[in-house]
Amino acid sequence: MPPQDLPSYVKWVVDQKPELRDTPDDVKAELYPELEERLENLVNTALLAAMPESEVPYFERLLEHGSDDDIQRFCEQTIPNMEEIVSRILLQFRNEYLGA
């Protein structure tokens, strides 16, 4: 089963890429932050697109001043199919990265 947090998920995906199996850990460690940022941007873009437009200004303020828990709670309350959207993006990222 894939990990639930983005950093662990990225490492899990990278570990599945046959071309990188023999890559030294320090080289992989340099790759992880870039891929994490890319994945986080994909997830955030998809969630923002699914959010009712009337909620976007509040969400932007929450991003600047709220805690991670506040942001998570707000998204769960505002985006009814949030888990489905995130799952779809994670699968898409994995398939594109692995060339599946």
Side-chain angles (χ1 to χ4, degrees):
M1 187 164 145
Q4 298 299 309
D5 64 287
L6 294 186
S8 297
Y9 185 83
V10 165
K11 289 175 185 171
W12 179 76
V13 170
V14 168
D15 287 345
Q16 292 181 43
K17 191 162 182 105
E19 300 94 313
L20 297 177
R21 287 206 176 113
D22 295 328
T23 302
D25 289 341
D26 60 328
V27 174
K28 286 183 188 178
E30 292 179 22
L31 182 63
Y32 296 145
E34 179 184 319
L35 292 173
E36 288 170 27
E37 182 177 344
R38 190 166 109 200
L39 180 55
E40 184 174 352
N41 287 336
L42 290 170
V43 169
N44 289 342
T45 300
L47 292 177
L48 192 57
M51 186 175 292
E53 197 172 318
S54 61
E55 299 292 344
V56 172
Y58 177 76
F59 181 62
E60 289 173 344
R61 285 191 304 276
L62 195 59
L63 286 173
E64 290 181 27
H65 305 290
S67 69
D68 288 345
D69 288 339
D70 292 339
I71 294 167
Q72 177 76 23
R73 219 175 358 266
F74 177 79
C75 288
E76 288 171 352
Q77 293 170 353
T78 308
I79 306 168
N81 56 342
M82 184 178 126
E83 286 185 29
E84 179 184 318
I85 292 169
V86 172
S87 294
R88 180 177 44 85
I89 295 300
L90 293 176
L91 183 60
Q92 177 185 340
F93 174 83
R94 180 184 172 273
N95 289 342
E96 287 177 5
Y97 188 74
L98 296 178

